[in-house]
Amino acid sequence: MNDRYLSVDQVAELLGTTARFPRRLIEERRIRYVKVGRHVRIPASAVEEFITSHTVEPRRRPRARYGRAA
């Protein structure tokens, strides 16, 4: 229970988006959240999981064995 809980605005700032994006993630249940009364809080670990699961790693293209054809 040592997780830090962030507001929607804090998550938006962390992701570099508007507050509308984290609200949409919550509405579509694509990110974990906690309701505290009427307030919505998102655990920092949930934001990290979201970023990790949506990170696209670069593909290594195999080097051509021979140079370009003229």
Side-chain angles (χ1 to χ4, degrees):
M1 189 108 192
N2 294 336
D3 213 355
R4 185 168 168 230
Y5 293 92
L6 307 170
S7 69
V8 171
D9 291 330
Q10 289 172 321
V11 172
E13 185 177 330
L14 185 65
L15 295 176
T17 64
T18 63
R20 186 176 181 177
F21 181 67
R23 288 187 194 283
R24 191 174 77 210
L25 293 177
I26 291 166
E27 181 182 337
E28 296 172 357
R29 295 186 186 246
R30 293 172 50 199
I31 194 167
R32 286 185 296 121
Y33 66 94
V34 177
K35 288 202 70 168
V36 182
R38 65 184 187 134
H39 301 285
V40 175
R41 296 292 182 253
I42 302 169
S45 61
V47 177
E48 290 177 28
E49 288 171 14
F50 178 80
I51 291 170
T52 303
S53 67
H54 288 83
T55 299
V56 179
E57 296 295 330
R59 272 194 327 197
R60 294 274 185 205
R61 292 180 25 193
R63 291 186 106 179
R65 182 174 242 171
Y66 306 103
R68 288 182 131 177

